[in-house]
Amino acid sequence: MALKITDLRIDPSSLGANFMLVDCKPAYAYENGNRTERIEGYRYYIALPAHKMEKIGVKVSGNIPLVDPESDIPIGTEIEFDGLEIGSYFSNGQVSLSAKAMGARMVKKNEK
Protein backbone atom coordinates (compact mmCIF):
# COMPACT_ATOMS: atom_id res chain seq x y z
CA MET A 1 0.00 0.00 0.00
CA ALA A 2 1.43 3.39 -1.00
CA LEU A 3 1.80 6.31 1.38
CA LYS A 4 -0.67 9.09 0.59
CA ILE A 5 -0.28 12.81 1.26
CA THR A 6 -3.35 12.63 3.52
CA ASP A 7 -1.53 10.11 5.76
CA LEU A 8 1.10 12.68 6.74
CA ARG A 9 0.82 15.03 9.74
CA ILE A 10 2.66 18.33 10.17
CA ASP A 11 4.13 19.29 13.55
CA PRO A 12 2.01 22.25 14.79
CA SER A 13 5.10 23.83 16.39
CA SER A 14 6.43 24.44 12.85
CA LEU A 15 3.72 27.12 12.46
CA GLY A 16 5.35 29.28 15.13
CA ALA A 17 4.51 30.27 18.70
CA ASN A 18 1.86 32.95 18.09
CA PHE A 19 -1.41 32.78 16.19
CA MET A 20 -3.20 36.03 15.37
CA LEU A 21 -6.96 35.68 14.91
CA VAL A 22 -8.19 37.48 11.79
CA ASP A 23 -11.62 35.97 11.10
CA CYS A 24 -14.22 33.48 12.32
CA LYS A 25 -16.78 31.75 10.09
CA PRO A 26 -19.31 28.95 10.65
CA ALA A 27 -18.20 25.46 9.53
CA TYR A 28 -21.12 23.60 7.98
CA ALA A 29 -21.73 19.86 8.01
CA TYR A 30 -21.61 17.93 4.75
CA GLU A 31 -23.72 14.91 3.80
CA ASN A 32 -23.04 12.87 0.66
CA GLY A 33 -20.63 15.58 -0.52
CA ASN A 34 -23.22 18.35 -0.21
CA ARG A 35 -23.17 21.18 2.29
CA THR A 36 -26.07 21.28 4.72
CA GLU A 37 -27.30 24.29 6.68
CA ARG A 38 -26.28 22.65 9.98
CA ILE A 39 -23.36 24.39 11.70
CA GLU A 40 -21.02 21.84 13.26
CA GLY A 41 -18.37 24.25 14.49
CA TYR A 42 -16.40 27.31 13.56
CA ARG A 43 -13.34 27.91 11.44
CA TYR A 44 -10.88 30.36 12.97
CA TYR A 45 -8.65 32.01 10.39
CA ILE A 46 -5.26 32.85 11.82
CA ALA A 47 -2.23 34.77 10.56
CA LEU A 48 1.15 33.20 11.29
CA PRO A 49 3.79 35.82 12.24
CA ALA A 50 6.53 33.17 11.91
CA HIS A 51 5.54 32.70 8.24
CA LYS A 52 5.20 36.28 6.92
CA MET A 53 1.58 36.45 8.14
CA GLU A 54 0.41 33.58 5.90
CA LYS A 55 -3.10 32.51 6.86
CA ILE A 56 -4.67 29.15 7.64
CA GLY A 57 -8.14 28.16 8.85
CA VAL A 58 -8.51 25.93 11.91
CA LYS A 59 -11.82 24.10 12.36
CA VAL A 60 -13.06 23.65 15.93
CA SER A 61 -16.25 21.67 16.60
CA GLY A 62 -18.85 23.23 18.85
CA ASN A 63 -21.92 25.44 18.84
CA ILE A 64 -20.57 28.57 20.50
CA PRO A 65 -17.92 30.69 18.73
CA LEU A 66 -15.21 32.51 20.70
CA VAL A 67 -16.06 35.72 18.86
CA ASP A 68 -19.09 36.99 17.01
CA PRO A 69 -18.58 35.92 13.36
CA GLU A 70 -20.34 39.14 12.26
CA SER A 71 -18.09 41.53 14.20
CA ASP A 72 -14.64 42.92 13.46
CA ILE A 73 -11.80 41.27 15.34
CA PRO A 74 -9.34 43.71 16.97
CA ILE A 75 -5.87 43.67 15.41
CA GLY A 76 -3.41 41.73 17.54
CA THR A 77 -5.97 39.31 19.02
CA GLU A 78 -4.12 36.10 19.86
CA ILE A 79 -5.66 32.62 20.01
CA GLU A 80 -4.42 29.23 21.21
CA PHE A 81 -5.66 25.79 20.25
CA ASP A 82 -6.00 22.53 22.17
CA GLY A 83 -5.15 19.37 20.24
CA LEU A 84 -4.14 21.20 17.05
CA GLU A 85 -3.65 18.83 14.11
CA ILE A 86 -2.26 19.92 10.75
CA GLY A 87 -2.59 17.72 7.68
CA SER A 88 -2.40 18.06 3.93
CA TYR A 89 -4.46 17.12 0.92
CA PHE A 90 -4.20 17.30 -2.86
CA SER A 91 -6.67 19.54 -4.69
CA ASN A 92 -6.67 21.22 -8.11
CA GLY A 93 -3.13 20.09 -8.79
CA GLN A 94 -1.72 21.53 -5.56
CA VAL A 95 -0.97 20.37 -2.04
CA SER A 96 -3.02 22.34 0.51
CA LEU A 97 -3.14 22.36 4.30
CA SER A 98 -6.02 21.46 6.58
CA ALA A 99 -6.19 22.13 10.30
CA LYS A 100 -8.49 21.16 13.13
CA ALA A 101 -8.39 21.41 16.90
CA MET A 102 -10.36 20.07 19.85
CA GLY A 103 -10.71 23.51 21.43
CA ALA A 104 -9.68 27.14 21.23
CA ARG A 105 -9.26 30.02 23.64
CA MET A 106 -8.31 33.67 23.48
CA VAL A 107 -4.92 34.63 24.92
CA LYS A 108 -5.19 37.31 27.57
CA LYS A 109 -2.57 40.03 27.24
CA ASN A 110 -1.14 39.39 30.73
CA GLU A 111 -0.62 35.65 30.01
CA LYS A 112 2.44 36.25 27.84
Side-chain angles (χ1 to χ4, degrees):
M1 180 175 244
L3 182 65
K4 298 181 288 189
I5 193 81
T6 54
D7 295 333
L8 302 176
R9 295 288 169 249
I10 297 167
D11 183 352
S13 67
S14 67
L15 298 179
N18 300 44
F19 303 144
M20 310 305 291
L21 182 62
V22 294
D23 205 358
C24 173
K25 302 271 187 207
Y28 294 93
Y30 281 77
E31 291 178 7
N32 300 321
N34 297 312
R35 187 181 113 167
T36 67
E37 291 302 311
R38 183 172 49 90
I39 296 173
E40 64 179 9
Y42 289 85
R43 191 170 310 280
Y44 298 96
Y45 293 91
I46 56 173
L48 305 170
H51 294 279
K52 299 179 183 176
M53 300 305 277
E54 284 289 330
K55 294 173 188 66
I56 186 172
V58 180
K59 181 180 173 184
V60 178
S61 296
N63 296 327
I64 302 172
L66 290 177
V67 296
D68 179 357
E70 300 299 319
S71 68
D72 290 332
I73 297 168
I75 293 173
T77 301
E78 288 189 49
I79 188 171
E80 292 179 332
F81 297 99
D82 297 318
L84 180 60
E85 295 180 12
I86 311 293
S88 57
Y89 62 95
F90 197 72
S91 176
N92 297 323
Q94 294 185 342
V95 175
S96 297
L97 297 179
S98 65
K100 65 180 179 177
M102 293 175 12
R105 66 185 167 285
M106 306 303 275
V107 176
K108 295 184 177 116
K109 293 295 179 187
N110 58 4
E111 286 182 3
K112 293 260 173 183

XYZ file of all heavy atoms in Angstrom, residues 15-91:
604
model
N 4.477 25.922 12.859
C 3.721 27.116 12.464
C 4.149 28.354 13.238
O 3.791 29.467 12.877
C 2.219 26.893 12.675
C 1.580 25.768 11.868
C 0.106 25.661 12.203
C 1.787 25.970 10.380
N 4.912 28.161 14.312
C 5.350 29.283 15.134
C 4.653 29.265 16.479
O 3.801 28.423 16.756
N 5.012 30.236 17.323
C 4.513 30.272 18.700
C 3.248 31.110 18.865
O 2.505 30.916 19.808
C 5.605 30.808 19.623
N 3.000 32.050 17.952
C 1.856 32.952 18.092
C 0.910 32.807 16.917
O 1.349 32.722 15.769
C 2.325 34.406 18.154
C 3.246 34.661 19.314
O 4.143 33.884 19.581
N 3.031 35.750 20.006
N -0.382 32.816 17.218
C -1.414 32.776 16.188
C -2.293 34.011 16.363
O -2.867 34.224 17.424
C -2.282 31.531 16.312
C -1.519 30.225 16.258
C -1.918 29.158 17.030
C -0.419 30.061 15.431
C -1.243 27.943 16.980
C 0.266 28.860 15.376
C -0.146 27.800 16.152
N -2.404 34.817 15.319
C -3.203 36.032 15.370
C -4.555 35.767 14.690
O -4.605 35.430 13.510
C -2.485 37.179 14.645
C -1.031 37.374 15.088
S -0.796 37.605 16.845
C -1.520 39.170 17.094
N -5.629 35.922 15.440
C -6.964 35.681 14.913
C -7.360 36.818 13.976
O -7.269 37.990 14.340
C -7.963 35.580 16.069
C -9.401 35.274 15.697
C -9.516 33.909 15.015
C -10.288 35.310 16.935
N -7.778 36.459 12.756
C -8.190 37.482 11.792
C -9.646 37.339 11.355
O -10.241 38.300 10.882
C -7.270 37.519 10.547
C -5.870 37.958 10.938
C -7.221 36.192 9.837
N -10.229 36.155 11.528
C -11.623 35.967 11.104
C -12.191 34.705 11.740
O -11.449 33.813 12.154
C -11.700 35.853 9.579
C -13.052 36.252 9.018
O -13.978 36.584 9.808
O -13.211 36.229 7.789
N -13.504 34.642 11.786
C -14.222 33.483 12.318
C -15.459 33.279 11.455
O -16.226 34.222 11.239
C -14.605 33.745 13.773
S -15.660 32.472 14.501
N -15.641 32.073 10.954
C -16.781 31.746 10.089
C -17.393 30.414 10.521
O -16.681 29.527 10.987
C -16.341 31.609 8.633
C -15.671 32.819 8.060
C -16.678 33.736 7.461
C -15.929 34.867 6.751
N -16.664 36.064 6.684
N -18.699 30.246 10.342
C -19.310 28.945 10.645
C -18.735 27.848 9.747
O -18.412 28.090 8.582
C -20.793 29.154 10.332
C -20.995 30.626 10.283
C -19.683 31.227 9.884
N -18.613 26.648 10.294
C -18.199 25.465 9.531
C -19.430 24.567 9.418
O -19.967 24.118 10.429
C -17.058 24.744 10.228
N -19.887 24.343 8.215
C -21.121 23.598 7.980
C -20.847 22.110 7.797
O -19.796 21.717 7.289
C -21.845 24.150 6.754
C -22.349 25.558 6.964
C -21.588 26.659 6.598
C -23.589 25.784 7.547
C -22.043 27.950 6.807
C -24.055 27.074 7.762
C -23.266 28.142 7.386
O -23.728 29.426 7.604
N -21.806 21.311 8.194
C -21.727 19.865 8.008
C -21.983 19.527 6.540
O -22.695 20.259 5.830
C -22.762 19.171 8.888
N -21.396 18.434 6.103
C -21.611 17.926 4.746
C -22.212 16.531 4.827
O -21.846 15.743 5.700
C -20.288 17.866 3.973
C -19.850 19.206 3.452
C -19.280 20.150 4.295
C -20.025 19.536 2.118
C -18.883 21.390 3.818
C -19.632 20.778 1.627
C -19.058 21.695 2.484
O -18.678 22.921 2.007
N -23.135 16.254 3.919
C -23.716 14.915 3.800
C -23.706 14.527 2.335
O -24.176 15.288 1.488
C -25.142 14.901 4.355
C -25.200 15.086 5.859
C -26.625 15.123 6.403
O -27.562 14.877 5.632
O -26.765 15.409 7.600
N -23.141 13.364 2.044
C -23.035 12.872 0.661
C -22.364 13.898 -0.257
O -22.773 14.074 -1.403
C -24.415 12.494 0.117
C -25.071 11.411 0.939
O -24.418 10.479 1.385
N -26.366 11.547 1.159
N -21.370 14.612 0.281
C -20.632 15.582 -0.516
C -21.316 16.919 -0.685
O -20.794 17.794 -1.375
N -22.485 17.094 -0.082
C -23.224 18.349 -0.215
C -23.296 19.075 1.125
O -23.551 18.456 2.153
C -24.648 18.090 -0.711
C -24.649 17.470 -2.087
O -23.963 17.926 -2.995
N -25.411 16.400 -2.242
N -23.104 20.380 1.073
C -23.168 21.179 2.293
C -24.603 21.279 2.786
O -25.526 21.509 2.024
C -22.630 22.583 2.023
C -22.498 23.414 3.295
C -22.005 24.776 2.978
N -23.084 25.704 3.275
C -22.944 26.993 3.346
N -21.783 27.549 3.086
N -23.960 27.765 3.631
N -24.764 21.102 4.093
C -26.073 21.285 4.715
C -26.104 22.670 5.363
O -25.124 23.406 5.327
C -26.325 20.218 5.804
O -25.423 20.444 6.890
C -26.135 18.807 5.252
N -27.189 23.024 5.965
C -27.303 24.292 6.682
C -26.959 24.133 8.161
O -27.016 25.095 8.923
C -28.711 24.868 6.522
C -29.001 25.334 5.106
C -28.015 26.400 4.622
O -27.771 27.376 5.352
O -27.454 26.225 3.519
N -26.579 22.914 8.580
C -26.277 22.648 9.983
C -24.838 23.052 10.302
O -23.881 22.568 9.713
C -26.472 21.161 10.288
C -26.245 20.785 11.746
C -26.629 19.335 12.038
N -26.079 18.379 11.111
C -24.901 17.766 11.252
N -24.156 18.015 12.284
N -24.487 16.900 10.352
N -24.687 23.957 11.254
C -23.365 24.392 11.697
C -22.832 23.355 12.675
O -23.484 23.016 13.651
C -23.435 25.783 12.361
C -23.872 26.824 11.331
C -22.095 26.156 12.988
C -24.130 28.200 11.914
N -21.618 22.844 12.385
C -21.023 21.838 13.258
C -19.813 22.370 14.011
O -19.176 21.645 14.763
C -20.661 20.576 12.488
C -19.600 20.760 11.437
C -19.264 19.464 10.726
O -19.963 18.447 10.920
O -18.289 19.464 9.955
N -19.503 23.626 13.815
C -18.373 24.246 14.491
C -18.047 25.566 13.836
O -18.845 26.116 13.077
N -16.854 26.045 14.129
C -16.404 27.312 13.564
C -14.986 27.172 13.064
O -14.195 26.399 13.598
C -16.515 28.436 14.608
C -17.967 28.774 14.848
C -18.722 28.058 15.761
C -18.587 29.747 14.092
C -20.063 28.317 15.935
C -19.938 30.021 14.260
C -20.664 29.298 15.176
O -21.998 29.552 15.322
N -14.682 27.902 12.000
C -13.342 27.909 11.445
C -12.724 29.255 11.818
O -13.251 30.311 11.499
C -13.377 27.731 9.926
C -12.008 27.472 9.335
C -12.083 27.047 7.874
N -13.020 25.975 7.596
C -12.805 24.675 7.794
N -11.661 24.272 8.282
N -13.730 23.777 7.489
N -11.601 29.169 12.541
C -10.877 30.358 12.967
C -9.713 30.573 12.009
O -8.851 29.699 11.881
C -10.381 30.188 14.406
C -11.530 30.027 15.368
C -11.959 28.773 15.762
C -12.209 31.138 15.847
C -13.035 28.622 16.623
C -13.290 30.994 16.711
C -13.701 29.733 17.086
O -14.778 29.594 17.927
N -9.717 31.699 11.329
C -8.651 32.013 10.385
C -7.577 32.778 11.145
O -7.863 33.780 11.798
C -9.192 32.813 9.203
C -10.118 31.971 8.369
C -11.485 31.937 8.629
C -9.617 31.168 7.344
C -12.337 31.132 7.885
C -10.470 30.364 6.594
C -11.823 30.360 6.872
O -12.666 29.558 6.138
N -6.355 32.257 11.071
C -5.256 32.847 11.819
C -4.138 33.270 10.872
O -3.925 32.655 9.833
C -4.702 31.867 12.879
C -4.268 30.542 12.235
C -5.738 31.627 13.973
C -3.553 29.584 13.161
N -3.439 34.333 11.255
C -2.229 34.766 10.563
C -1.051 34.242 11.368
O -1.094 34.210 12.606
C -2.180 36.286 10.471
N -0.025 33.818 10.665
C 1.148 33.200 11.289
C 2.342 34.150 11.198
O 2.989 34.244 10.148
C 1.477 31.881 10.595
C 0.329 30.865 10.516
C 0.700 29.710 9.597
C -0.036 30.381 11.900
N 2.647 34.894 12.278
C 3.786 35.822 12.245
C 5.102 35.148 11.863
O 5.947 35.763 11.208
C 3.843 36.371 13.678
C 2.439 36.248 14.183
C 1.917 34.979 13.546
N 5.298 33.889 12.228
C 6.534 33.172 11.905
C 6.648 32.837 10.417
O 7.711 32.418 9.960
C 6.628 31.891 12.734
N 5.557 33.030 9.674
C 5.544 32.703 8.240
C 5.008 33.874 7.420
O 4.094 33.709 6.586
C 4.720 31.438 7.986
C 5.323 30.210 8.578
N 6.339 29.513 7.977
C 5.092 29.586 9.763
C 6.688 28.490 8.741
N 5.951 28.520 9.834
N 5.541 35.067 7.689
C 5.197 36.276 6.923
C 3.701 36.527 6.878
O 3.150 36.938 5.857
C 5.782 36.204 5.518
C 7.290 36.107 5.502
C 7.823 36.008 4.093
C 9.330 35.833 4.137
N 9.887 35.643 2.808
N 3.016 36.203 7.978
C 1.582 36.446 8.145
C 0.711 35.628 7.180
O -0.421 35.996 6.886
C 1.251 37.935 8.050
C 1.965 38.775 9.100
S 1.702 38.236 10.803
C 0.159 39.004 11.177
N 1.242 34.505 6.680
C 0.410 33.580 5.899
C -0.785 33.181 6.754
O -0.706 33.170 7.984
C 1.199 32.336 5.507
C 2.173 32.553 4.390
C 1.506 32.753 3.037
O 0.423 32.203 2.800
O 2.092 33.469 2.218
N -1.884 32.840 6.117
C -3.103 32.510 6.859
C -3.498 31.050 6.655
O -3.244 30.468 5.610
C -4.233 33.436 6.429
C -3.967 34.876 6.828
C -5.006 35.796 6.248
C -4.644 37.228 6.482
N -3.461 37.678 5.786
N -4.135 30.506 7.693
C -4.672 29.152 7.645
C -5.945 29.143 8.490
O -6.061 29.882 9.459
C -3.639 28.109 8.146
C -4.157 26.690 7.940
C -3.244 28.374 9.576
C -3.133 25.609 8.233
N -6.910 28.319 8.088
C -8.143 28.165 8.848
C -8.082 26.920 9.711
O -7.645 25.864 9.252
N -8.510 27.050 10.967
C -8.508 25.930 11.907
C -9.951 25.659 12.325
O -10.606 26.528 12.896
C -7.655 26.234 13.159
C -7.677 25.053 14.117
C -6.222 26.586 12.766
N -10.445 24.457 12.030
C -11.823 24.097 12.364
C -11.885 23.544 13.787
O -11.102 22.674 14.151
C -12.350 23.048 11.393
C -13.779 22.651 11.656
C -14.232 21.609 10.662
C -15.596 21.076 11.015
N -16.002 20.009 10.119
N -12.827 24.103 14.561
C -13.062 23.650 15.927
C -14.542 23.309 16.038
O -15.404 24.145 15.733
C -12.684 24.731 16.960
C -12.983 24.252 18.374
C -11.208 25.111 16.819
N -14.857 22.079 16.435
C -16.249 21.671 16.603
C -16.862 22.383 17.805
O -16.170 22.685 18.773
C -16.353 20.159 16.799
O -15.915 19.499 15.636
N -18.151 22.608 17.727
C -18.853 23.234 18.847
C -19.861 24.251 18.355
O -19.782 24.728 17.224
N -20.818 24.561 19.222
C -21.920 25.441 18.837
C -21.715 26.899 19.183
O -22.453 27.747 18.706
C -23.216 24.960 19.502
C -23.608 23.583 19.006
O -23.363 23.242 17.860
N -24.204 22.790 19.874
N -20.740 27.199 20.040
C -20.568 28.574 20.495
C -19.209 29.098 20.038
O -18.171 28.590 20.455
C -20.686 28.669 22.030
C -22.043 28.120 22.466
C -20.501 30.106 22.501
C -22.200 27.973 23.951
N -19.195 30.132 19.178
C -17.924 30.690 18.731
C -17.267 31.532 19.821
O -17.943 32.057 20.703
C -18.323 31.553 17.537
C -19.719 31.969 17.838
C -20.341 30.806 18.576
N -15.935 31.659 19.756
C -15.209 32.508 20.700
C -15.497 33.987 20.469
O -15.439 34.784 21.394
C -13.698 32.288 20.560
C -13.146 30.964 21.037
C -11.648 30.892 20.759
C -13.407 30.781 22.519
N -15.754 34.338 19.228
C -16.058 35.721 18.859
C -17.277 35.723 17.964
O -17.606 34.713 17.343
C -14.869 36.401 18.134
C -13.661 36.526 19.046
C -14.493 35.661 16.870
N -17.937 36.850 17.881
C -19.094 36.992 17.006
C -18.609 36.979 15.553
O -17.830 37.857 15.158
C -19.814 38.304 17.319
C -21.027 38.548 16.445
O -21.310 37.735 15.527
O -21.702 39.564 16.671
N -19.036 35.994 14.749
C -18.577 35.924 13.356
C -18.953 37.156 12.520
O -18.360 37.400 11.483
C -19.270 34.674 12.799
C -19.591 33.851 13.991
C -19.850 34.833 15.100
N -19.900 37.944 12.993
C -20.337 39.136 12.256
C -19.570 40.394 12.661
O -19.717 41.432 12.034
C -21.833 39.360 12.481
C -22.704 38.208 12.011
C -22.586 37.946 10.516
O -22.530 38.918 9.735
O -22.545 36.767 10.126
N -18.769 40.334 13.720
C -18.085 41.534 14.202
C -16.635 41.567 13.730
O -16.062 40.554 13.338
C -18.139 41.599 15.729
O -17.345 40.568 16.281
N -16.047 42.759 13.794
C -14.637 42.924 13.459
C -13.787 42.440 14.630
O -14.106 42.693 15.792
C -14.321 44.391 13.171
C -14.943 44.868 11.862
O -15.141 44.029 10.964
O -15.222 46.074 11.745
N -12.703 41.783 14.321
C -11.797 41.273 15.344
C -10.672 42.292 15.513
O -10.046 42.689 14.525
C -11.245 39.893 14.944
C -12.404 38.902 14.863
C -10.177 39.418 15.925
C -12.068 37.595 14.226
N -10.417 42.736 16.757
C -9.340 43.714 16.966
C -7.992 43.182 16.496
O -7.666 42.006 16.707
C -9.337 43.927 18.486
C -10.689 43.474 18.949
C -11.106 42.393 17.997
N -7.209 44.040 15.866
C -5.874 43.669 15.407
C -5.030 43.257 16.614
O -5.075 43.895 17.654
C -5.218 44.845 14.656
C -5.988 45.100 13.358
C -3.745 44.573 14.370
C -5.563 46.334 12.610
N -4.287 42.194 16.473
C -3.415 41.729 17.535
C -4.055 40.721 18.471
O -3.438 40.307 19.445
N -5.294 40.295 18.175
C -5.969 39.306 19.019
C -5.300 37.948 18.830
O -5.231 37.428 17.720
C -7.464 39.213 18.653
O -8.067 40.485 18.834
C -8.176 38.188 19.502
N -4.791 37.392 19.932
C -4.121 36.095 19.863
C -5.057 34.979 20.298
O -5.935 35.173 21.137
C -2.877 36.079 20.748
C -1.747 36.910 20.192
C -0.456 36.714 20.948
O -0.062 35.550 21.182
O 0.157 37.733 21.317
N -4.852 33.806 19.709
C -5.664 32.623 20.009
C -4.732 31.432 20.177
O -3.652 31.379 19.574
C -6.703 32.393 18.873
C -7.693 31.299 19.232
C -6.014 32.119 17.557
C -8.867 31.185 18.254
N -5.137 30.488 21.024
C -4.420 29.227 21.210
C -5.379 28.088 20.951
O -6.594 28.242 21.126
C -3.879 29.112 22.636
C -2.788 30.083 22.975
C -2.292 29.943 24.402
O -3.062 29.508 25.281
O -1.136 30.289 24.630
N -4.838 26.951 20.556
C -5.658 25.788 20.249
C -5.254 24.605 21.106
O -4.080 24.414 21.419
C -5.523 25.418 18.767
C -6.026 26.485 17.847
C -5.157 27.374 17.237
C -7.386 26.615 17.598
C -5.620 28.368 16.398
C -7.864 27.599 16.759
C -6.980 28.477 16.158
N -6.229 23.785 21.467
C -5.997 22.529 22.168
C -6.094 21.398 21.154
O -7.067 21.332 20.388
C -7.051 22.301 23.257
C -7.002 23.370 24.335
O -5.883 23.748 24.750
O -8.067 23.829 24.761
N -5.108 20.521 21.147
C -5.147 19.368 20.245
C -5.068 19.748 18.777
O -5.712 19.122 17.941
N -4.264 20.743 18.446
C -4.142 21.201 17.053
C -3.504 20.121 16.187
O -2.461 19.566 16.538
C -3.306 22.479 17.004
C -3.065 23.106 15.629
C -4.394 23.483 14.956
C -2.172 24.328 15.765
N -4.155 19.802 15.082
C -3.652 18.831 14.111
C -3.598 19.491 12.740
O -4.577 20.095 12.302
C -4.566 17.609 14.027
C -4.619 16.790 15.289
C -5.541 15.584 15.149
O -5.968 15.263 14.015
O -5.834 14.962 16.182
N -2.451 19.354 12.080
C -2.257 19.921 10.748
C -2.010 18.770 9.780
O -1.154 17.917 10.024
C -1.049 20.877 10.695
C -1.089 21.896 11.833
C -0.952 21.559 9.331
C -2.196 22.873 11.769
N -2.756 18.747 8.701
C -2.588 17.718 7.678
C -2.508 18.363 6.306
O -2.487 19.594 6.170
N -2.458 17.551 5.297
C -2.396 18.061 3.929
C -3.290 17.221 3.030
O -3.653 16.096 3.365
C -0.948 18.053 3.426
O -0.423 16.757 3.523
N -3.649 17.820 1.913
C -4.457 17.116 0.920
C -4.117 17.667 -0.456
O -3.520 18.739 -0.586
C -5.955 17.245 1.235
C -6.478 18.664 1.211
C -7.084 19.183 0.062
C -6.380 19.489 2.321
C -7.564 20.473 0.027
C -6.854 20.778 2.301
C -7.449 21.269 1.151
O -7.913 22.563 1.115
N -4.483 16.937 -1.473
C -4.202 17.301 -2.856
C -5.493 17.766 -3.508
O -6.504 17.066 -3.477
C -3.630 16.076 -3.591
C -2.945 16.403 -4.863
C -1.708 17.032 -4.862
C -3.511 16.083 -6.081
C -1.056 17.332 -6.046
C -2.874 16.376 -7.268
C -1.639 17.001 -7.251
N -5.472 18.983 -4.061
C -6.672 19.535 -4.693
C -6.275 20.478 -5.820
O -5.391 21.323 -5.638
C -7.505 20.289 -3.649
O -8.612 20.904 -4.241
